[in-house]
């Protein structure tokens, strides 16, 4: 029944739509099912992302894989000119893969757990009809990031652990927009694309002040600067204007935000007696607040290698502001082999009214999530999650472009993953 | 068990919300309303800006992009009707500039390569039988000449729309009676200032031409008031526009008072001009209200080598770069002429305001728009400023807007109308208009 519902929803309305800035918090289906509240619960190998200290409560070796296709739709209305616009069908496919392993022999495990994760923490993939009203801001924008994160955690004692990881990131972006240089054939276009790398770290603390009843987690993921060097700028303009728009190279430096998460989880009595260290067999409820330091994202400042239209740079002002996400989530162990989850969160917009652009549609959001884990065998778990988010109506005027719109949107993200323990 | 039911109902509730909500994104569009305005029958009077003049000429495409026609399209959403204009036959019309490309020099100076199309041989053919016309914008017609019958012979644009000997004022009276306008716009007066300024103070070469002289203030005030009497005779609503600070337009700002030297980008050469008080170097003083302005057409011929007879010897002398071959009078508006023109514009605007106040008609200060444009603005991602060619507003003659410029002006007027009449007339999508077109 559930699968039918999901399928029906996807048929009805599919595209893609992002949230706070261009952050994707889709890591680990169980955590997604609880509204991304994973900082205080060391459920599985995705703890490496949510709170590396949580890794200290994972036993043995764990492998976790997951994908979360994002479908979203955003509608725009420009009141002054009575025009409408919306994005075109598109899917982006964030994925994640985590591996953790407790060091030492199985009989006498050490206090160290190591792990590595490969995941896509930021991204955006949006396209609009070629001739839409915002074409001089953006026609297509694709941002892909892949982070690799080797991580280690240390159990100070049975109730406290700490963790630290190093993050190496690769980023690739492409943006296409119309430029108001007209020939007989109409307006011109600009295509800017580049890739680059950056580095950061992640860290966390996990405490269990009340054994098997209450856990607290704090994690901090550092900001990162991605240096995009030697990107390609291609301009398609009328031949007689070519001399003003030479194809050229550009450099760009993009700041990615830091994130501070604080969470607490309360556990109900477990059915099967003893609560596992990773809490995966306990019914629980968890609250989490996350602050994302989006104010690092001030502008996109393209520095051209040649003179383009009598200038050598293009500065797109963004002036993002820090955002807060408030999550509540829980899981219920319905049967020995079945765990159900649900959650909801409220998230603020990163783009201020002055600087919102259709590149990354951004509104306050209310999001609901559900999920389940089925223990197929004692070692293999199947995880499903489903997220539905509603972007609240928002009127903005981008002052640099004098682009006025009222927008709202929704996002639908099913997710599937597997966990293997050995 | 409680937790079980809570969970199951949460999940069911979630799917219910997701299913019922997922596709409802449609946002209500407020209805277009005329407010207290009556736009049923619209009449526009004015000069070149009102006709749709651009690239130093007029053709059918330009007429279709005139701000009165654009406004009428938006008025049609709130009870207005289509308007009739004195359309030229399809083709080059009176001849207009085209942009064939640009050249850049070693100092990154960009020079447009402009070419004027030849006028259609029959463009001045009389079309008065196609009237009445809702757009009485006649290029190059001064308020000072509204009662001057000879203009129906001298001014090709007026000649097209009236029987020989008829004055503009007579045309206006007949048109008002035929159309019975409920709403009018009046942008008369532009030519009284621009005609003088764009000809270097009323010159062809070095010969004064009275047709381009500044209108005396009393004649302007009397004629303007008479036109407004006619427009408001049937209690029509409307608005009048002032004359903006034209000296910010690219026609007057694009060419520097100094020329680029042959050897380096920093080396500047003096420009010699024929000023009202004789031949001298052009000067610029940041603290002065009035400075010498080298006009746009001079830019293309500056430095051209002309044969001049100096002390009985023929020699090649660069145009404008030597006292022996100064810029002709019509290529420069010297500071005294700028001053006369600014003072005249101020006086004209006082006359406009006075007449409008007497008739209880709102005055729209067009400087409000041009001040914003000068600072630099944008519209749906199109950058806009007062720069020649690349500024996104002015057409190829440096004085008149191109199609996008006229659409932007129309949007500015619509904002004013909306606020005066508490109307909600939608603005136009500016990206429909191409602006400067590279051929």
């Amino acid at each position: 029944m559930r699968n039918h519902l999901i399928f029906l929803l996807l048929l009805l309305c599919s595209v893609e739509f992002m949230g706070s800035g261009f952050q994707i918090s889709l890591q680990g289906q169980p955590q997604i099912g609880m509204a991304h509240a994973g900082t205080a619960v060391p459920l599985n190998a995705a703890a490496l992302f949510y709170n590396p200290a949580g890794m200290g409560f994972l036993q043995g070796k764990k492998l976790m894989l997951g994908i979360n296709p994002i479908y979203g739709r955003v509608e725009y209305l420009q009141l002054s000119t009575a025009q409408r616009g919306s994005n075109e069908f598109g899917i982006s496919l964030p994925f994640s893969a985590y591996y953790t392993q407790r060091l030492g022999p199985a009989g006498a495990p050490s206090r160290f757990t190591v792990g590595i994760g490969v995941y896509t923490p930021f991204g955006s993939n949006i396209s609009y009809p070629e001739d839409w009203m915002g074409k001089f801001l953006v026609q297509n924008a694709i941002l892909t990031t892949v982070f690799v994160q080797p991580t280690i955690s240390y159990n100070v004692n049975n109730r406290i652990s700490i963790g630290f990881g190093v993050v190496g990131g690769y980023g690739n972006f492409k943006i296409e927009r119309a430029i108001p240089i007209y020939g007989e054939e109409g307006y011109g276009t600009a295509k800017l694309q580049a890739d680059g790398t950056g580095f950061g770290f992640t860290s966390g603390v996990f405490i269990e002040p009340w054994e098997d009843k209450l856990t607290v987690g704090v994690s901090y993921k550092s900001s990162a600067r991605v240096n995009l060097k030697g990107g390609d700028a291609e301009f398609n303009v009328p031949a007689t204007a070519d001399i003003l728009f030479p194809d050229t190279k550009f450099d760009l430096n993009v700041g990615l935000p830091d994130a501070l998460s604080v969470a607490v989880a309360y556990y109900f009595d477990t059915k099967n007696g003893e609560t596992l260290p990773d809490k995966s067999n306990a019914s629980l409820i968890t609250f989490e607040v996350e602050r994302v330091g989006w104010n690092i994202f001030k502008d996109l400042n393209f520095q051209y290698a040649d003179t383009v239209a009598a200038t050598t740079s293009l500065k797109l002002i963004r002036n993002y502001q820090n955002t807060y996400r408030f999550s509540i989530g829980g899981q219920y162990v319905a049967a020995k082999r079945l765990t159900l989850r649900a959650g909801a969160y409220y998230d603020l917009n990163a783009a201020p009214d002055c600087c919102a652009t259709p590149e990354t549609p951004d509104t306050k959001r209310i999001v609901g999530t559900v999920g389940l884990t089925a223990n197929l065998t004692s070692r293999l778990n199947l995880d499903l999650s489903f997220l539905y988010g509603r972007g609240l109506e928002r009127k903005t005027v981008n002052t640099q472009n004098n682009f006025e719109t009222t927008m709202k949107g929704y996002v639908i993200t099913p997710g599937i993953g597997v966990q293997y323990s050995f | 068990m409680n937790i079980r039911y809570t969970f199951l109902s949460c999940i069911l509730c979630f799917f219910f919300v997701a299913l019922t909500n997922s596709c409802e994104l449609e946002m209500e569009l407020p209805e277009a309303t005329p407010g207290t305005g009556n736009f049923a029958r619209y009449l526009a009077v004015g000069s070149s800006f009102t006709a749709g003049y651009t690239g130093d000429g007029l053709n059918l495409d330009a007429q279709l992009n005139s701000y009165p026609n654009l406004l009428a399209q938006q008025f049609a959403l709130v009870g207005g009707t289509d308007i009739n204009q004195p359309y030229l036959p399809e083709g080059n019309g009176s001849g207009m500039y085209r942009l064939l490309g640009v050249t850049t020099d070693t100092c990154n100076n960009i020079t447009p390569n402009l070419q004027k199309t030849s006028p259609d041989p029959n463009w001045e053919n009389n079309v008065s039988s196609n009237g009445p016309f809702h757009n009485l914008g006649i290029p190059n017609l001064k308020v000072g000449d509204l009662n001057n019958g000879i203009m129906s012979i001298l001014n090709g644009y007026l000649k097209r729309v009236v029987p020989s000997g008829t004055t503009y004022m007579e045309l206006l009276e007949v048109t008002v009676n035929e159309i019975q306008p409920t709403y009018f716009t009046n942008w008369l007066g532009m030519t009284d200032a621009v005609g003088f300024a764009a000809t270097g103070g009323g010159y062809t070469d070095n010969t004064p031409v009275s047709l381009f002289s500044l209108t005396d203030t009393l004649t302007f005030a009397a004629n303007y008031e008479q036109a407004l009497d006619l427009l408001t005779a049937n209690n029509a609503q409307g608005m009048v526009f002032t004359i903006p600070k034209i000296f910010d337009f690219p026609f007057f700002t694009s060419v520097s008072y100094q020329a680029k030297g042959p050897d380096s980008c920093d080396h500047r050469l003096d420009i010699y001009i024929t000023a009202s008080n004789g031949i001298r170097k052009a000067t610029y003083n940041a603290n002065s209200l009035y400075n010498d302005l080298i006009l746009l057409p001079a830019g293309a011929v500056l430095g051209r080598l002309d044969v001049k007879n100096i002390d009985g010897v023929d020699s090649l002398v660069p145009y404008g770069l030597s006292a022996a071959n100064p810029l002709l009078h019509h290529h420069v508006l010297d500071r005294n002429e700028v001053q006369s023109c600014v003072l005249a514009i101020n006086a004209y605007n006082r006359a406009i305001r006075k007449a409008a106040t007497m008739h209880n008609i709102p005055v729209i200060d067009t400087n409000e728009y041009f001040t914003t444009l000068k600072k630099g603005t944008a519209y749906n991602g199109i950058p806009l400023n007062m720069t020649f060619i690349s500024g996104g507003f002015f057409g190829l003659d440096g004085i008149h807007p191109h199609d996008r410029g006229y659409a932007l002006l129309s949007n500015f007027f619509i904002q004013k109308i909306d606020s005066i009449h508490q109307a909600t007339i939608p603005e136009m999508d500016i990206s429909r208009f191409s602006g400067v077109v590279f051929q």
Side-chain angles (χ1 to χ4, degrees):
Chain A
M1 182 60 189
R2 170 170 308 190
N3 284 331
H4 282 105
L5 285 176
I6 293 169
F7 182 67
L8 185 64
L9 277 172
L10 295 187
L11 273 185
L12 285 174
C13 24
S14 316
V15 188
E16 84 85 58
F17 173 69
M18 288 297 165
S20 162
F22 38 85
Q23 183 191 24
I24 305 175
S25 311
L26 297 168
Q27 315 289 340
Q29 313 308 330
Q31 283 88 342
I32 296 167
M34 300 192 299
H36 308 318
T39 304
V41 193
L43 278 181
N44 49 46
L48 177 146
F49 171 81
Y50 284 98
N51 182 354
M55 266 169 51
F57 289 78
L58 305 178
Q59 307 303 316
K61 300 171 184 171
K62 285 182 187 294
L63 178 67
M64 184 176 195
L65 305 168
I67 54 168
N68 295 77
I70 302 177
Y71 303 81
R73 185 166 181 85
V74 54
E75 292 272 349
Y76 291 94
L77 174 63
Q78 186 162 65
L79 288 170
S80 59
T81 60
Q83 291 184 90
R84 294 179 189 280
S86 66
N87 62 337
E88 290 188 313
F89 178 84
I91 304 168
S92 61
L93 200 62
F95 65 88
S96 56
Y98 303 103
Y99 174 76
T100 63
Q101 177 180 355
R102 181 160 293 268
L103 295 181
S110 78
R111 293 182 171 211
F112 289 97
T113 309
V114 293
I116 188 160
V118 180
Y119 55 92
T120 52
F122 298 96
S124 177
N125 177 1
I126 193 153
S127 56
Y128 295 94
E130 212 169 83
D131 201 31
W132 87 297
M133 62 180 170
K135 60 177 171 286
F136 294 113
L137 286 85
V138 61
Q139 290 170 312
N140 300 294
I142 300 175
L143 169 73
T144 312
T145 60
V146 180
F147 279 20
V148 178
Q149 182 193 322
T151 312
I152 185 164
S153 81
Y154 173 73
N155 291 64
V156 177
N157 58 37
N158 282 344
R159 304 249 198 115
I160 298 174
S161 69
I162 54 175
F164 181 82
V166 177
V167 177
Y170 165 82
N172 179 315
F173 91 96
K174 183 167 95 176
I175 178 168
E176 287 175 298
R177 49 171 14 198
I179 46 178
I181 304 296
Y182 282 77
E184 304 278 77
E185 311 282 303
Y187 51 81
T189 52
K191 183 156 65 169
L192 303 163
Q193 58 183 345
D195 60 1
T197 52
F199 293 91
F201 69 88
T202 178
S203 58
V205 180
F206 183 85
I207 305 168
E208 191 169 344
W210 183 8
E211 190 163 20
D212 292 342
K213 276 292 173 197
L214 195 73
T215 54
V216 177
V218 177
S219 81
Y220 177 77
K221 303 174 186 75
S222 79
S223 59
R225 287 215 154 264
V226 180
N227 255 318
L228 305 155
K229 282 214 176 288
D232 291 308
E234 287 173 41
F235 301 97
N236 184 5
V237 294
T240 47
D242 258 348
I243 192 169
L244 298 176
F245 290 89
D247 290 347
T248 183
K249 299 280 179 189
F250 68 87
D251 292 342
L252 178 69
N253 187 291
V254 182
L256 297 175
D258 60 352
L260 176 67
S261 308
V262 178
V264 58
Y266 176 80
Y267 304 86
F268 301 94
D269 291 333
T270 49
K271 267 190 195 164
N272 313 321
E274 204 172 314
T275 307
L276 293 177
D278 64 14
K279 318 297 181 196
S280 58
N281 69 335
S283 296
L284 65 91
I285 184 163
T286 176
F287 302 91
E288 177 165 326
V289 179
E290 181 179 56
R291 191 212 63 131
V292 181
W294 274 113
N295 69 1
I296 193 173
F297 193 56
K298 297 282 186 219
D299 54 53
L300 288 171
N301 195 353
F302 298 88
Q303 299 291 331
Y304 294 126
D306 293 295
T307 303
V308 176
T311 174
T312 54
S313 65
L314 169 70
K315 189 169 178 176
L316 307 177
I317 296 167
R318 294 292 176 266
N319 283 334
Y320 274 23
Q321 61 205 6
N322 295 342
T323 61
Y324 291 85
R325 170 170 61 79
F326 304 91
S327 292
I328 176 171
Q331 72 174 14
Y332 172 66
V333 181
K336 199 175 177 187
R337 295 190 154 199
L338 180 68
T339 306
L340 301 177
R341 301 190 182 85
Y345 70 84
Y346 174 69
D347 200 357
L348 300 174
N349 52 281
D353 287 354
C354 69
C355 307
T357 90
E359 229 166 73
T360 42
D362 195 358
T363 69
K364 294 185 175 65
R365 269 151 306 127
I366 295 177
V367 179
T369 64
V370 290
L372 68 84
T373 292
N375 303 61
L376 300 180
T377 72
S378 60
R379 292 187 159 183
L380 183 66
N381 289 353
L382 173 70
D383 299 318
L384 297 174
S385 73
F386 188 82
L387 176 153
Y388 172 76
R390 194 79 194 172
L392 305 184
E393 187 168 315
R394 178 177 186 210
K395 185 180 176 184
T396 58
V397 180
N398 180 304
T399 43
Q400 189 181 21
N401 295 295
N402 195 8
F403 183 66
E404 168 253 304
T405 55
T406 306
M407 62 166 289
K408 60 182 176 180
Y410 62 81
V411 60
I412 295 171
T413 303
I416 184 164
V418 290
Q419 297 179 54
Y420 191 71
S421 310
F422 49 106
Chain B
M1 193 182 155
N2 264 342
I3 298 176
R4 164 173 258 161
Y5 289 125
T6 311
F7 252 94
L8 287 176
S9 50
C10 265
I11 289 167
L12 280 174
C13 180
F14 169 80
F15 276 109
F16 178 75
V17 171
L19 258 180
T20 52
N21 259 333
S22 59
C23 299
E24 287 168 21
L25 287 178
E26 199 77 341
M27 288 169 279
E28 279 274 318
L29 189 63
E31 205 189 336
T33 54
T36 58
N38 180 353
F39 307 100
R41 294 178 302 281
Y42 169 46
L43 175 64
V45 300
S47 52
S48 52
F49 275 66
T50 306
Y53 199 86
T54 187
D56 200 27
L58 193 66
N59 66 4
L60 179 61
D61 287 343
Q63 289 179 304
L64 291 170
N65 276 307
S66 70
Y67 76 79
N69 197 40
L70 299 179
L71 283 181
Q73 287 168 23
Q74 302 308 103
F75 289 164
L77 303 170
V78 291
T81 48
D82 281 352
I83 66 166
N84 183 23
Q85 302 189 93
Y87 290 117
L88 288 153
E90 218 163 301
N92 292 343
S94 62
M96 296 160 81
Y97 283 123
R98 300 191 324 145
L99 179 63
L100 299 182
V102 293
T103 51
T104 54
D105 64 16
T106 47
C107 305
N108 266 327
N109 293 310
I110 298 164
T111 316
N113 178 9
L114 299 178
Q115 187 193 57
K116 204 163 181 185
T117 57
S118 49
D120 288 334
N122 55 351
W123 79 269
E124 288 185 1
N125 284 4
N126 195 286
V127 294
S128 56
S129 58
N130 296 346
F133 301 114
H134 300 77
N135 183 350
L136 295 185
I138 303 294
N140 307 330
L141 189 70
K142 299 193 291 190
V143 171
D145 289 326
L146 295 186
N147 283 311
N148 185 352
I150 198 78
M151 296 314 294
S152 66
I153 295 159
L154 293 181
N155 184 318
Y157 297 97
L158 187 61
K159 187 175 160 188
R160 296 181 61 239
V161 295
V162 292
S164 190
T166 309
T167 67
Y168 184 89
M169 207 67 87
E170 288 160 354
L171 169 68
L172 179 57
E173 186 165 12
V174 171
T175 307
V176 167
N177 280 331
E178 287 181 332
I179 291 178
Q180 299 282 327
T182 60
Y183 199 86
F184 70 87
T185 57
N186 177 355
W187 204 355
L188 286 167
M190 288 295 283
T191 301
D192 298 73
V194 172
F196 176 83
T199 55
Y203 289 90
T204 299
D205 296 338
N206 279 335
T207 315
V209 178
S210 63
L211 205 59
F212 305 141
S213 62
L214 287 169
T215 304
D216 81 88
T217 314
L218 289 177
T219 311
F220 185 98
N223 285 358
Y224 193 91
E225 204 181 312
Q226 194 186 349
L228 211 51
D229 284 340
L230 292 175
L231 286 167
T232 54
N234 302 314
N235 292 318
Q237 300 169 326
M239 37 183 209
V240 301
F241 307 140
T242 60
I243 305 164
K245 290 177 184 153
I246 56 172
F247 296 116
D248 291 332
F249 292 7
F251 187 87
F252 303 100
T253 58
S254 295
V255 185
S256 164
Y257 76 103
Q258 286 180 316
K260 182 180 76 75
D263 40 4
S264 90
C265 300
D266 298 327
H267 184 193
R268 311 295 289 171
L269 299 178
D270 286 322
I271 293 179
Y272 291 84
I273 60 172
T274 312
S276 41
N277 54 359
I279 293 166
R280 61 173 174 81
K281 287 178 189 174
T283 61
Y284 175 81
N285 176 354
N287 297 318
S288 170
L289 279 175
Y290 312 109
N291 280 299
D292 298 329
L293 299 175
I294 314 297
L295 305 184
L296 184 62
V301 287
L302 198 61
R304 179 192 61 205
L305 293 175
D306 298 324
V307 179
K308 290 282 161 183
N309 191 304
I310 301 171
D311 302 330
V313 182
D314 277 352
S315 22
L316 287 174
V317 186
Y319 178 58
L321 302 181
S322 156
N325 190 12
L327 291 188
L328 296 177
H329 217 133
H330 75 158
H331 274 157
V332 59
L333 196 69
D334 71 56
R335 51 181 179 264
N336 295 322
E337 291 161 338
V338 174
Q339 181 172 19
S340 328
C341 195
V342 167
L343 296 179
I345 290 172
N346 292 345
Y348 300 157
N349 281 337
R350 279 195 297 274
I352 290 170
R353 286 177 193 284
K354 190 176 162 213
T357 310
M358 272 171 50
H359 291 87
N360 204 15
I361 294 295
V363 180
I364 306 305
D365 182 356
T366 50
N367 273 329
E368 187 184 323
Y369 185 78
F370 289 106
T371 306
T372 310
L373 189 65
K374 191 182 177 186
K375 271 188 277 180
T377 177
Y379 200 106
N380 281 1
I382 302 173
L384 301 166
N385 56 57
M386 282 205 171
T387 315
F388 189 46
I389 308 283
S390 66
F393 179 91
F394 285 102
L396 297 175
D397 60 24
I399 295 176
H400 299 92
H402 46 49
D403 61 344
R404 187 197 296 137
Y406 280 121
L408 287 159
L409 273 181
S410 303
N411 279 354
F412 170 70
F413 297 150
I414 287 170
Q415 290 164 14
K416 294 296 165 190
I417 292 169
D418 279 353
S419 94
I420 291 167
H421 295 289
Q422 293 90 50
T424 52
I425 304 170
E427 293 174 31
M428 260 163 302
D429 171 18
I430 291 307
S431 65
R432 269 173 41 210
F433 302 87
S434 50
V436 166
V437 176
F438 285 83
Q439 302 289 336

